[in-house]
Amino acid sequence: MDFTYQGYKGLLKLLKSEDYIFSSYENYISNTHCVILRHDIDYSLEQAVKLANIENENGVRSTYFILLTSDFYNPASSLSYKLLHEIIDLGHNVGLHFDETAYKYDIFPIDYYIRKETRILSDLLDVNINCFSLHRPNKITLETSLCIPGLINAYGDEFFKHFKYISDSRRRWREPIEEIILSKRYNYLHILTHAFWYHETDVSIHQGVLNFIKAASRERLSTLQYNISNLDSILNDDGDHK
Ligand SMILES: [Zn+2]
């Protein structure tokens, strides 16, 4: 499949044609042939909203994991609130995407920070958050299979040993996803996608990243225009005088 919205629709269609039931981390247990679609929002809420719309148009529900410590988006901003509630209103679940590198664990253990961020995200969004995934976890954290009462760990053994897990990390499926879906070998699929890699047209990974960098510059300008009156007069000033 290519990394376009059309390609993603094709993936959903393929899963449906193989009778996979789209499930959440909570309710999959009642299904004997199902898929959990997971999205880690590493960079762009806007792109996540696009996939959330495509899924909704195709009658599909999935789970979006949100970083609280991102340098790319601010979950506490009013725009983020609006975008994240768009995702929720489209029928999807949201969870915490946790970046362990944001903390030093010499004072409290990792589960303290996961609980803390879960509470903060719940408060920010006015929704209950009961699952988390890890952002680029190190080998030790990954192998620990963290168990935190009251919270579902999307990286827990349950979703890796019981499920066939496939991810599009770095815009590359490690295994041929279509073949896996069509193989009829797996009753439980756990598919991680990153909305960041998907575009309207089939652009190269290089161009996609470059477009994102250029768009950030335009967004920054527009935010400055909102905050500084007569910004144009400042920008048009050649800066010769102080
Ligand atoms: Zn991530």
Side-chain angles (χ1 to χ4, degrees), residues 171 209 214:
R171 216 186 90 146
V209 172
K214 287 178 182 165

Side-chain angles (χ1 to χ4, degrees), residues 105-230:
Y105 300 106
D106 47 359
I107 305 174
F108 297 109
I110 188 169
D111 53 331
Y112 168 86
Y113 296 102
I114 292 174
R115 282 189 181 284
K116 179 177 147 185
E117 286 202 6
T118 303
R119 284 196 305 273
I120 295 171
L121 191 59
S122 266
D123 285 348
L124 280 177
L125 297 181
D126 303 310
V127 292
N128 185 36
I129 304 283
N130 63 4
C131 54
F132 69 92
S133 71
L134 301 168
H135 176 65
R136 301 175 65 196
N138 74 36
K139 204 165 173 284
I140 299 164
T141 310
L142 202 57
E143 284 169 358
T144 307
S145 187
L146 274 169
C147 187
I148 306 178
L151 288 176
I152 297 168
N153 177 6
Y155 269 107
D157 275 353
E158 188 179 355
F159 301 106
F160 276 79
K161 293 189 176 157
H162 190 46
F163 280 74
K164 172 67 182 169
Y165 173 76
I166 325 159
S167 155
D168 68 353
S169 292
R170 287 185 73 90
R171 216 186 90 146
R172 191 170 67 86
W173 295 103
R174 299 288 184 276
E175 296 172 80
I177 187 157
E178 281 110 335
E179 280 178 32
I180 286 169
I181 295 169
L182 288 167
S183 72
K184 303 193 188 303
R185 281 180 60 200
Y186 306 101
N187 278 323
Y188 296 91
L189 291 178
H190 183 194
I191 301 177
L192 167 61
T193 57
H194 298 78
F196 183 67
W197 300 128
Y198 295 79
H199 301 283
E200 206 65 65
T201 56
D202 191 13
V203 298
S204 67
I205 186 167
H206 169 88
Q207 197 56 47
V209 172
L210 213 57
N211 290 347
F212 180 69
I213 294 168
K214 287 178 182 165
S217 166
R218 289 193 297 274
E219 281 161 23
R220 182 149 281 201
L221 175 64
S222 122
T223 309
L224 278 175
Q225 279 167 336
Y226 181 74
N227 282 276
I228 303 176
S229 53
N230 297 321

Side-chain angles (χ1 to χ4, degrees), residues 7 40 44 51-52 54 61 67 70 76 114 123 210 218:
D40 287 351
S44 163
L51 281 199
I54 289 169
R61 289 181 172 193
L67 269 174
S70 171
I114 292 174
D123 285 348
L210 213 57
R218 289 193 297 274

